[in-house]
Amino acid sequence: MPPDAGAAAHFRALESLYAAAPINGLFESRLEIVESGVARIAFSIEPRHYHAGDAAHGTSYFKMLDDAAFYACNSLVTDRFLLTTAFNLLFTRPLKAGPVVAEGRWVSGQRRVFVGEARLIDSDGEEAARGTGTFMRSSIPLAGLPGYGS
């Protein structure tokens, strides 16, 4: 079932917020809010993201897992920006250069604290990592953030 107009507008505004974040200038990536509680980030790993062992550094894993789970949860909150309060991740395969998708989904919570999870799928369709995070409502209004809704 397609989201109602208000939800769809919120999803597009979150996608704009993601694109406007300065950190995303370091990663070629695109956020898509698929539906309430579900977010997907398509990105590319490049050799510039590698550690000395010739594979992607863990910062790339963390950033994309955290963002996918975060936006899945923030898709349920229309007035406030959420903040990550904890995030646990499990590395299962090294990532090499190529396309990767981070799939995030809301798991529980609807008031103050939200739980989300995410996984990274490499170009072979294999899971490279998974993570679970907790996210808390902040006092930061979404409407006041650069990029939200523009």
Coordinates of all heavy atoms in Angstrom, one line a residue, residues 39-132:
A39 N 14.2 1.6 5.3 CA 15.1 2.5 4.6 C 16.1 1.7 3.9 O 16.6 0.6 4.3 CB 15.7 3.5 5.5
R40 N 16.6 2.2 2.7 CA 17.6 1.5 1.9 C 18.6 2.6 1.5 O 18.2 3.6 1.0 CB 16.9 0.8 0.7 CG 17.8 -0.1 0.0 CD 17.1 -0.9 -1.1 NE 16.2 -1.8 -0.4 CZ 14.9 -2.0 -0.7 NH1 14.3 -1.2 -1.6 NH2 14.2 -2.9 -0.1
I41 N 19.9 2.3 1.6 CA 20.9 3.2 1.1 C 21.8 2.4 0.1 O 22.3 1.4 0.4 CB 21.8 3.7 2.2 CG1 21.0 4.5 3.3 CG2 22.9 4.6 1.7 CD1 21.7 4.9 4.5
A42 N 21.8 2.9 -1.1 CA 22.7 2.3 -2.2 C 24.0 3.2 -2.1 O 23.9 4.4 -2.1 CB 22.0 2.4 -3.5
F43 N 25.1 2.5 -2.1 CA 26.4 3.2 -2.0 C 27.4 2.4 -2.7 O 27.2 1.2 -3.1 CB 26.8 3.6 -0.6 CG 27.1 2.4 0.3 CD1 28.4 2.1 0.6 CD2 26.1 1.7 0.9 CE1 28.7 1.1 1.5 CE2 26.4 0.6 1.8 CZ 27.7 0.3 2.1
S44 N 28.6 3.0 -2.9 CA 29.7 2.3 -3.5 C 30.9 2.3 -2.6 O 31.2 3.4 -2.0 CB 30.1 3.0 -4.8 OG 29.1 2.9 -5.8
I45 N 31.6 1.2 -2.5 CA 32.9 1.2 -1.8 C 33.9 1.4 -2.9 O 33.8 0.8 -4.0 CB 33.1 -0.2 -1.1 CG1 32.1 -0.3 0.1 CG2 34.5 -0.4 -0.7 CD1 32.4 0.6 1.2
E46 N 34.9 2.2 -2.6 CA 36.0 2.5 -3.5 C 37.3 2.2 -2.8 O 37.3 2.2 -1.5 CB 35.9 4.0 -3.9 CG 34.6 4.3 -4.7 CD 34.4 5.8 -4.9 OE1 35.4 6.6 -4.8 OE2 33.3 6.2 -5.3
P47 N 38.4 2.0 -3.5 CA 39.6 1.8 -2.8 C 40.0 2.9 -1.8 O 40.7 2.6 -0.9 CB 40.6 1.7 -4.0 CG 39.8 1.2 -5.1 CD 38.4 1.8 -5.0
R48 N 39.5 4.1 -2.0 CA 39.8 5.2 -1.0 C 39.2 4.9 0.4 O 39.6 5.5 1.3 CB 39.4 6.5 -1.5 CG 37.9 6.7 -1.7 CD 37.6 8.0 -2.4 NE 36.2 8.2 -2.7 CZ 35.4 8.9 -2.0 NH1 35.9 9.7 -1.0 NH2 34.1 9.0 -2.3
H49 N 38.3 3.9 0.4 CA 37.7 3.6 1.7 C 38.4 2.4 2.4 O 38.0 2.0 3.4 CB 36.2 3.1 1.5 CG 35.3 4.2 0.9 ND1 34.6 4.1 -0.3 CD2 35.1 5.5 1.3 CE1 34.0 5.2 -0.5 NE2 34.2 6.1 0.4
Y50 N 39.5 1.9 1.8 CA 40.2 0.7 2.3 C 41.1 1.0 3.5 O 41.6 2.1 3.6 CB 41.1 0.1 1.2 CG 40.4 -0.6 0.1 CD1 39.0 -0.7 0.0 CD2 41.1 -1.3 -0.9 CE1 38.3 -1.4 -1.0 CE2 40.5 -2.0 -1.9 CZ 39.1 -2.0 -2.0 OH 38.5 -2.7 -3.0
H51 N 41.3 0.0 4.3 CA 42.3 0.1 5.3 C 43.6 -0.6 4.7 O 43.6 -0.9 3.5 CB 41.9 -0.6 6.6 CG 41.4 -2.0 6.4 ND1 42.1 -3.1 5.8 CD2 40.2 -2.6 6.8 CE1 41.4 -4.2 5.8 NE2 40.2 -3.9 6.4
A52 N 44.6 -0.7 5.5 CA 45.9 -1.3 5.0 C 45.8 -2.7 4.5 O 46.6 -3.2 3.8 CB 47.0 -1.1 6.1
G53 N 44.7 -3.4 4.9 CA 44.6 -4.8 4.5 C 43.8 -5.0 3.2 O 43.3 -6.1 2.9
D54 N 43.6 -3.9 2.4 CA 43.0 -4.0 1.1 C 41.5 -4.3 1.1 O 41.1 -5.0 0.2 CB 43.8 -4.9 0.2 CG 43.6 -4.6 -1.3 OD1 43.4 -3.5 -1.6 OD2 43.7 -5.6 -2.1
A55 N 40.8 -3.9 2.0 CA 39.3 -4.0 2.1 C 38.8 -2.8 2.8 O 39.5 -2.0 3.4 CB 38.9 -5.3 2.8
A56 N 37.4 -2.6 2.7 CA 36.8 -1.4 3.3 C 37.0 -1.3 4.8 O 36.9 -2.3 5.5 CB 35.3 -1.5 3.0
H57 N 37.4 -0.1 5.3 CA 37.5 0.1 6.7 C 36.2 0.0 7.4 O 35.1 0.3 6.8 CB 38.1 1.5 6.9 CG 38.6 1.8 8.3 ND1 37.7 2.2 9.3 CD2 39.8 1.6 8.9 CE1 38.3 2.3 10.4 NE2 39.6 2.0 10.2
G58 N 36.2 -0.3 8.7 CA 34.9 -0.5 9.4 C 34.1 0.8 9.5 O 32.9 0.7 9.7
T59 N 34.7 2.0 9.3 CA 33.9 3.2 9.4 C 32.8 3.2 8.3 O 31.7 3.7 8.5 CB 34.8 4.4 9.2 OG1 35.5 4.3 8.0 CG2 35.7 4.7 10.4
S60 N 33.1 2.6 7.1 CA 32.1 2.5 6.0 C 31.0 1.6 6.5 O 29.8 1.9 6.2 CB 32.8 2.0 4.8 OG 33.8 2.8 4.3
Y61 N 31.3 0.5 7.1 CA 30.2 -0.4 7.5 C 29.3 0.3 8.6 O 28.1 0.3 8.4 CB 30.9 -1.6 8.3 CG 31.6 -2.6 7.4 CD1 32.9 -2.3 7.0 CD2 31.1 -3.9 7.1 CE1 33.6 -3.3 6.2 CE2 31.8 -4.8 6.4 CZ 33.0 -4.5 6.0 OH 33.7 -5.5 5.3
F62 N 30.0 0.9 9.6 CA 29.2 1.5 10.6 C 28.3 2.6 10.1 O 27.2 2.7 10.4 CB 30.1 2.1 11.7 CG 29.4 2.9 12.7 CD1 28.5 2.4 13.7 CD2 29.4 4.3 12.7 CE1 27.8 3.1 14.5 CE2 28.7 5.1 13.5 CZ 27.9 4.5 14.5
K63 N 28.9 3.5 9.3 CA 28.2 4.7 8.8 C 26.9 4.2 8.1 O 25.8 4.7 8.3 CB 29.0 5.5 7.9 CG 28.3 6.9 7.5 CD 28.4 7.1 6.1 CE 27.8 8.4 5.7 NZ 26.3 8.5 5.8
M64 N 27.0 3.3 7.2 CA 25.9 2.9 6.4 C 24.9 2.1 7.2 O 23.6 2.2 7.0 CB 26.3 2.1 5.1 CG 27.2 3.0 4.2 SD 26.3 4.5 3.7 CE 27.6 5.3 2.8
L65 N 25.3 1.2 8.1 CA 24.4 0.5 8.9 C 23.6 1.4 9.9 O 22.4 1.3 10.0 CB 25.1 -0.6 9.7 CG 25.7 -1.8 9.0 CD1 26.7 -2.6 9.9 CD2 24.5 -2.7 8.5
D66 N 24.4 2.3 10.5 CA 23.8 3.3 11.4 C 22.7 4.2 10.6 O 21.6 4.3 11.1 CB 24.8 4.1 12.0 CG 24.3 5.2 12.9 OD1 23.5 4.9 13.9 OD2 24.6 6.4 12.7
D67 N 23.1 4.7 9.5 CA 22.2 5.5 8.7 C 21.0 4.8 8.3 O 19.9 5.3 8.4 CB 22.9 6.1 7.5 CG 23.9 7.2 7.8 OD1 23.9 7.7 9.0 OD2 24.6 7.7 6.9
A68 N 21.1 3.6 7.8 CA 19.9 2.8 7.3 C 19.0 2.5 8.5 O 17.7 2.7 8.4 CB 20.4 1.5 6.7
A69 N 19.5 2.1 9.6 CA 18.6 1.8 10.8 C 18.0 3.1 11.3 O 16.8 3.2 11.7 CB 19.4 1.1 11.9
F70 N 18.8 4.2 11.4 CA 18.4 5.5 11.9 C 17.2 6.0 11.0 O 16.2 6.4 11.6 CB 19.5 6.5 11.8 CG 19.1 7.9 12.0 CD1 19.0 8.5 13.2 CD2 18.8 8.7 10.9 CE1 18.6 9.8 13.4 CE2 18.4 10.0 11.0 CZ 18.3 10.6 12.3
Y71 N 17.4 6.0 9.7 CA 16.3 6.6 8.9 C 15.1 5.7 8.8 O 14.0 6.2 8.7 CB 16.9 6.9 7.5 CG 17.6 8.2 7.4 CD1 19.0 8.3 7.5 CD2 16.9 9.4 7.3 CE1 19.7 9.5 7.5 CE2 17.6 10.6 7.4 CZ 19.0 10.7 7.5 OH 19.6 11.9 7.5
A72 N 15.3 4.4 9.0 CA 14.1 3.6 9.1 C 13.3 4.0 10.3 O 12.0 4.1 10.3 CB 14.5 2.1 9.2
C73 N 14.0 4.3 11.4 CA 13.3 4.7 12.7 C 12.7 6.1 12.5 O 11.6 6.4 12.9 CB 14.2 4.6 13.9 SG 14.6 2.8 14.3
N74 N 13.5 7.0 12.0 CA 13.1 8.4 11.9 C 11.9 8.6 10.9 O 11.2 9.6 10.9 CB 14.2 9.4 11.6 CG 14.2 10.7 12.3 OD1 15.2 11.2 12.7 ND2 13.0 11.2 12.6
S75 N 11.7 7.6 10.1 CA 10.6 7.7 9.1 C 9.3 7.6 9.9 O 8.2 8.0 9.4 CB 10.6 6.5 8.1 OG 10.3 5.3 8.7
L76 N 9.3 7.1 11.2 CA 8.1 7.0 12.0 C 7.9 8.3 12.9 O 6.9 8.4 13.5 CB 8.2 5.8 12.9 CG 8.4 4.5 12.3 CD1 8.8 3.4 13.3 CD2 7.2 4.1 11.5
V77 N 8.9 9.2 12.8 CA 8.8 10.4 13.7 C 8.8 11.6 12.7 O 9.8 11.8 12.0 CB 10.0 10.5 14.6 CG1 10.0 11.7 15.5 CG2 10.1 9.2 15.5
T78 N 7.8 12.4 12.8 CA 7.7 13.5 11.8 C 8.1 14.9 12.4 O 8.2 15.8 11.6 CB 6.2 13.6 11.3 OG1 5.3 13.8 12.4 CG2 5.8 12.4 10.5
D79 N 8.3 15.0 13.7 CA 8.6 16.3 14.2 C 10.0 16.5 14.8 O 10.5 17.6 14.8 CB 7.6 16.6 15.4 CG 7.7 15.6 16.5 OD1 8.2 14.5 16.4 OD2 7.2 16.0 17.6
R80 N 10.7 15.4 15.2 CA 12.0 15.5 15.8 C 13.0 14.6 15.1 O 12.7 13.6 14.6 CB 11.9 15.1 17.3 CG 11.0 15.9 18.1 CD 11.6 17.3 18.3 NE 10.6 18.2 19.0 CZ 10.8 19.4 19.2 NH1 11.9 20.0 18.8 NH2 9.8 20.2 19.7
F81 N 14.3 15.1 15.2 CA 15.4 14.4 14.8 C 15.8 13.3 15.8 O 15.8 13.7 17.0 CB 16.6 15.3 14.6 CG 17.8 14.8 13.9 CD1 17.9 14.4 12.6 CD2 19.0 14.6 14.7 CE1 19.0 13.9 12.0 CE2 20.1 14.1 14.1 CZ 20.2 13.8 12.8
L82 N 16.1 12.1 15.4 CA 16.5 11.1 16.4 C 18.0 11.2 16.5 O 18.7 11.7 15.6 CB 16.1 9.7 15.9 CG 14.6 9.4 15.8 CD1 14.4 8.0 15.3 CD2 13.9 9.7 17.1
L83 N 18.5 10.7 17.6 CA 20.0 10.6 17.9 C 20.3 9.1 18.2 O 19.6 8.4 18.9 CB 20.4 11.4 19.1 CG 20.2 12.9 18.9 CD1 20.5 13.7 20.2 CD2 21.0 13.5 17.8
T84 N 21.4 8.6 17.7 CA 21.9 7.3 18.0 C 22.4 7.3 19.4 O 23.3 8.1 19.8 CB 23.0 6.9 17.0 OG1 22.6 7.0 15.7 CG2 23.5 5.4 17.3
T85 N 21.9 6.4 20.2 CA 22.4 6.2 21.6 C 23.3 5.0 21.8 O 24.2 5.0 22.7 CB 21.3 6.2 22.6 OG1 20.4 5.1 22.3 CG2 20.5 7.5 22.6
A86 N 23.2 4.0 20.9 CA 24.1 2.8 21.0 C 23.9 2.1 19.6 O 22.9 2.2 19.0 CB 23.6 1.9 22.1
F87 N 25.0 1.5 19.2 CA 25.0 0.7 18.0 C 26.0 -0.5 18.1 O 27.1 -0.3 18.4 CB 25.3 1.5 16.8 CG 24.8 1.0 15.5 CD1 23.5 1.3 15.1 CD2 25.5 0.0 14.8 CE1 22.9 0.7 13.9 CE2 25.0 -0.5 13.6 CZ 23.7 -0.2 13.2
N88 N 25.5 -1.7 17.8 CA 26.3 -2.9 17.8 C 26.4 -3.4 16.4 O 25.3 -3.5 15.7 CB 25.8 -3.9 18.8 CG 25.8 -3.5 20.2 OD1 26.8 -3.2 20.7 ND2 24.6 -3.4 20.8
L89 N 27.6 -3.8 16.0 CA 27.6 -4.4 14.6 C 28.5 -5.6 14.6 O 29.3 -5.9 15.5 CB 28.1 -3.4 13.6 CG 29.4 -2.7 13.8 CD1 30.4 -3.3 12.8 CD2 29.3 -1.2 13.5
L90 N 28.2 -6.4 13.6 CA 28.8 -7.7 13.4 C 29.3 -7.7 11.9 O 28.5 -7.6 11.0 CB 27.9 -8.9 13.6 CG 28.3 -10.3 13.2 CD1 29.5 -10.7 14.2 CD2 27.2 -11.2 13.3
F91 N 30.6 -7.9 11.8 CA 31.2 -8.0 10.4 C 31.2 -9.5 10.0 O 31.7 -10.3 10.8 CB 32.7 -7.5 10.5 CG 32.9 -6.1 10.9 CD1 33.2 -5.8 12.2 CD2 32.7 -5.0 10.0 CE1 33.3 -4.5 12.6 CE2 32.9 -3.7 10.4 CZ 33.2 -3.4 11.7
T92 N 30.7 -9.8 8.8 CA 30.7 -11.2 8.4 C 31.5 -11.4 7.2 O 31.9 -12.6 6.9 CB 29.2 -11.6 8.2 OG1 28.6 -10.7 7.3 CG2 28.4 -11.7 9.5
R93 N 31.8 -10.4 6.4 CA 32.6 -10.5 5.1 C 33.3 -9.2 4.9 O 32.7 -8.2 5.1 CB 31.8 -10.8 3.9 CG 31.0 -12.1 3.8 CD 30.1 -12.1 2.6 NE 30.8 -11.9 1.4 CZ 30.9 -12.9 0.4 NH1 30.3 -14.0 0.6 NH2 31.5 -12.7 -0.7
P94 N 34.5 -9.3 4.3 CA 35.1 -8.0 3.9 C 34.4 -7.4 2.6 O 34.0 -8.2 1.8 CB 36.6 -8.4 3.5 CG 36.5 -9.9 3.3 CD 35.4 -10.4 4.1
L95 N 34.4 -6.1 2.6 CA 33.8 -5.4 1.4 C 34.9 -4.9 0.6 O 35.9 -4.3 1.0 CB 33.0 -4.2 1.9 CG 31.6 -4.5 2.4 CD1 31.0 -3.2 3.0 CD2 30.7 -5.1 1.4
K96 N 34.8 -5.2 -0.7 CA 35.8 -4.7 -1.7 C 35.0 -3.6 -2.6 O 33.9 -3.4 -2.4 CB 36.2 -5.9 -2.6 CG 37.0 -6.9 -1.9 CD 38.4 -6.4 -1.5 CE 39.3 -7.5 -1.1 NZ 40.7 -7.1 -1.0
A97 N 35.8 -3.1 -3.5 CA 35.2 -2.0 -4.4 C 34.0 -2.6 -5.1 O 33.9 -3.7 -5.6 CB 36.2 -1.5 -5.3
G98 N 32.9 -1.7 -5.1 CA 31.7 -2.1 -5.8 C 30.5 -1.6 -5.1 O 30.5 -1.0 -4.1
P99 N 29.3 -1.9 -5.7 CA 28.0 -1.4 -5.1 C 27.7 -2.3 -3.9 O 27.9 -3.5 -3.8 CB 27.0 -1.6 -6.2 CG 27.6 -2.7 -7.1 CD 29.1 -2.6 -7.0
V100 N 27.1 -1.6 -2.9 CA 26.6 -2.2 -1.7 C 25.2 -1.6 -1.4 O 25.0 -0.4 -1.7 CB 27.6 -2.0 -0.5 CG1 27.1 -2.7 0.7 CG2 29.0 -2.5 -0.9
V101 N 24.4 -2.3 -0.7 CA 23.1 -1.8 -0.3 C 23.0 -2.0 1.2 O 23.2 -3.1 1.7 CB 21.9 -2.5 -1.0 CG1 20.6 -2.0 -0.4 CG2 21.9 -2.2 -2.5
A102 N 22.6 -1.0 2.0 CA 22.3 -1.1 3.4 C 20.8 -1.1 3.5 O 20.1 -0.2 3.0 CB 22.9 0.1 4.1
E103 N 20.3 -2.1 4.1 CA 18.8 -2.3 4.3 C 18.5 -2.1 5.8 O 19.0 -2.9 6.6 CB 18.4 -3.6 3.9 CG 18.6 -3.9 2.4 CD 18.3 -5.4 2.0 OE1 18.2 -6.3 2.9 OE2 18.1 -5.6 0.8
G104 N 17.7 -1.1 6.1 CA 17.4 -0.8 7.5 C 15.9 -1.0 7.8 O 15.1 -0.7 6.9
R105 N 15.6 -1.4 9.0 CA 14.2 -1.5 9.4 C 14.0 -1.2 10.9 O 14.9 -1.5 11.7 CB 13.6 -2.8 9.0 CG 14.0 -4.0 9.8 CD 13.4 -5.3 9.3 NE 13.6 -6.4 10.2 CZ 12.9 -6.7 11.3 NH1 11.8 -6.0 11.6 NH2 13.2 -7.7 12.1
W106 N 12.9 -0.6 11.2 CA 12.5 -0.4 12.5 C 12.1 -1.7 13.1 O 11.4 -2.5 12.5 CB 11.3 0.6 12.5 CG 10.5 0.7 13.8 CD1 10.9 1.4 14.9 CD2 9.3 0.1 14.1 NE1 9.9 1.2 15.9 CE2 8.9 0.4 15.4 CE3 8.4 -0.8 13.4 CZ2 7.8 0.0 16.0 CZ3 7.3 -1.2 14.0 CH2 7.0 -0.8 15.3
V107 N 12.5 -1.9 14.4 CA 12.1 -3.1 15.1 C 11.1 -2.9 16.2 O 10.1 -3.6 16.3 CB 13.4 -3.8 15.7 CG1 13.1 -5.0 16.6 CG2 14.4 -4.2 14.6
S108 N 11.3 -1.9 17.0 CA 10.4 -1.6 18.1 C 10.6 -0.2 18.7 O 11.5 0.5 18.3 CB 10.6 -2.6 19.3 OG 11.9 -2.4 19.9
G109 N 9.6 0.2 19.5 CA 9.6 1.5 20.1 C 8.9 2.5 19.3 O 9.0 2.5 18.0
Q110 N 8.1 3.4 19.9 CA 7.3 4.4 19.2 C 7.2 5.7 20.0 O 6.7 6.6 19.4 CB 5.9 3.9 18.9 CG 5.9 2.8 17.9 CD 5.2 3.1 16.6 OE1 4.4 4.1 16.5 NE2 5.4 2.3 15.6
R111 N 7.7 5.7 21.2 CA 7.6 6.9 22.0 C 8.9 7.7 22.0 O 9.1 8.6 21.3 CB 7.0 6.6 23.3 CG 5.6 6.1 23.3 CD 5.1 5.9 24.6 NE 3.7 5.3 24.5 CZ 2.7 5.7 25.2 NH1 2.9 6.5 26.2 NH2 1.5 5.2 25.0
R112 N 9.8 7.3 22.9 CA 11.0 8.0 23.2 C 12.2 7.3 22.6 O 13.1 7.9 22.0 CB 11.2 8.2 24.7 CG 12.3 9.2 25.0 CD 12.2 9.6 26.4 NE 13.3 10.5 26.7 CZ 14.5 10.2 27.3 NH1 14.7 8.9 27.7 NH2 15.4 11.1 27.5
V113 N 12.3 6.0 22.7 CA 13.4 5.2 22.2 C 12.9 4.2 21.2 O 11.9 3.6 21.3 CB 14.1 4.5 23.4 CG1 15.2 3.6 22.9 CG2 14.6 5.5 24.4
F114 N 13.7 4.1 20.1 CA 13.4 3.3 19.0 C 14.6 2.3 18.8 O 15.7 2.6 19.1 CB 13.3 4.1 17.7 CG 12.1 5.0 17.7 CD1 12.2 6.2 18.4 CD2 11.0 4.8 17.0 CE1 11.2 7.1 18.4 CE2 9.9 5.7 17.0 CZ 10.0 6.8 17.7
V115 N 14.3 1.1 18.3 CA 15.3 0.1 18.0 C 15.2 -0.2 16.5 O 14.1 -0.4 16.0 CB 15.1 -1.2 18.8 CG1 16.1 -2.3 18.4 CG2 15.2 -0.9 20.3
G116 N 16.3 -0.2 15.9 CA 16.4 -0.5 14.4 C 17.5 -1.4 14.1 O 18.4 -1.5 14.9
E117 N 17.4 -2.1 13.0 CA 18.5 -3.0 12.6 C 18.7 -2.8 11.1 O 17.9 -2.2 10.4 CB 18.1 -4.5 12.9 CG 16.9 -5.0 12.2 CD 16.6 -6.4 12.6 OE1 17.0 -6.9 13.7 OE2 15.9 -7.1 11.8
A118 N 19.9 -3.2 10.7 CA 20.3 -3.0 9.3 C 21.3 -4.1 8.9 O 21.9 -4.7 9.8 CB 20.9 -1.6 9.1
R119 N 21.4 -4.3 7.6 CA 22.4 -5.2 7.1 C 22.9 -4.7 5.8 O 22.3 -3.9 5.1 CB 21.8 -6.6 6.9 CG 20.6 -6.7 6.0 CD 19.9 -8.1 6.1 NE 19.2 -8.3 4.9 CZ 19.2 -9.4 4.1 NH1 20.0 -10.4 4.4 NH2 18.5 -9.4 3.0
L120 N 24.2 -5.1 5.5 CA 24.8 -4.7 4.3 C 24.8 -5.9 3.4 O 25.2 -7.0 3.7 CB 26.3 -4.2 4.5 CG 26.5 -3.0 5.4 CD1 28.0 -2.7 5.5 CD2 25.8 -1.8 4.9
I121 N 24.4 -5.6 2.1 CA 24.4 -6.7 1.1 C 25.4 -6.3 0.0 O 25.2 -5.2 -0.6 CB 23.0 -6.9 0.5 CG1 21.9 -7.1 1.6 CG2 23.0 -8.0 -0.5 CD1 22.2 -8.3 2.5
D122 N 26.4 -7.1 -0.3 CA 27.4 -6.8 -1.3 C 26.9 -7.1 -2.7 O 25.7 -7.6 -2.9 CB 28.7 -7.5 -1.0 CG 28.7 -9.0 -1.1 OD1 27.8 -9.6 -1.7 OD2 29.6 -9.6 -0.6
S123 N 27.7 -6.9 -3.7 CA 27.3 -7.0 -5.1 C 27.0 -8.5 -5.5 O 26.4 -8.7 -6.5 CB 28.3 -6.4 -6.0 OG 29.6 -7.0 -5.8
D124 N 27.5 -9.4 -4.6 CA 27.2 -10.8 -4.9 C 25.9 -11.3 -4.2 O 25.6 -12.5 -4.3 CB 28.4 -11.7 -4.4 CG 29.7 -11.5 -5.1 OD1 29.6 -11.2 -6.3 OD2 30.7 -11.6 -4.5
G125 N 25.2 -10.4 -3.5 CA 24.0 -10.7 -2.8 C 24.2 -11.3 -1.5 O 23.3 -11.8 -0.8
E126 N 25.5 -11.2 -1.0 CA 25.9 -11.8 0.3 C 25.8 -10.7 1.4 O 26.2 -9.6 1.2 CB 27.3 -12.4 0.2 CG 27.4 -13.6 -0.7 CD 26.7 -14.8 -0.3 OE1 26.6 -15.0 0.9 OE2 26.2 -15.5 -1.2
E127 N 25.4 -11.2 2.6 CA 25.5 -10.2 3.7 C 26.9 -10.0 4.2 O 27.6 -11.0 4.4 CB 24.7 -10.8 4.9 CG 24.6 -9.9 6.1 CD 23.8 -10.4 7.2 OE1 22.5 -10.4 7.1 OE2 24.4 -10.8 8.2
A128 N 27.3 -8.8 4.3 CA 28.7 -8.5 4.7 C 28.8 -8.0 6.2 O 29.8 -8.1 6.8 CB 29.3 -7.4 3.8
A129 N 27.6 -7.5 6.7 CA 27.6 -7.1 8.1 C 26.1 -6.8 8.5 O 25.3 -6.7 7.6 CB 28.4 -5.7 8.2
R130 N 25.9 -6.8 9.8 CA 24.6 -6.4 10.3 C 24.8 -5.7 11.6 O 25.8 -5.8 12.2 CB 23.7 -7.7 10.5 CG 24.1 -8.7 11.5 CD 23.1 -9.8 11.7 NE 22.6 -10.3 10.5 CZ 21.3 -10.4 10.2 NH1 20.4 -10.0 11.0 NH2 20.9 -10.9 9.0
G131 N 23.8 -4.9 12.0 CA 23.9 -4.1 13.2 C 22.5 -3.8 13.8 O 21.5 -3.8 13.0
T132 N 22.5 -3.5 15.0 CA 21.3 -3.1 15.7 C 21.6 -1.8 16.5 O 22.7 -1.7 17.2 CB 20.9 -4.2 16.7 OG1 20.7 -5.4 16.0 CG2 19.6 -3.8 17.4

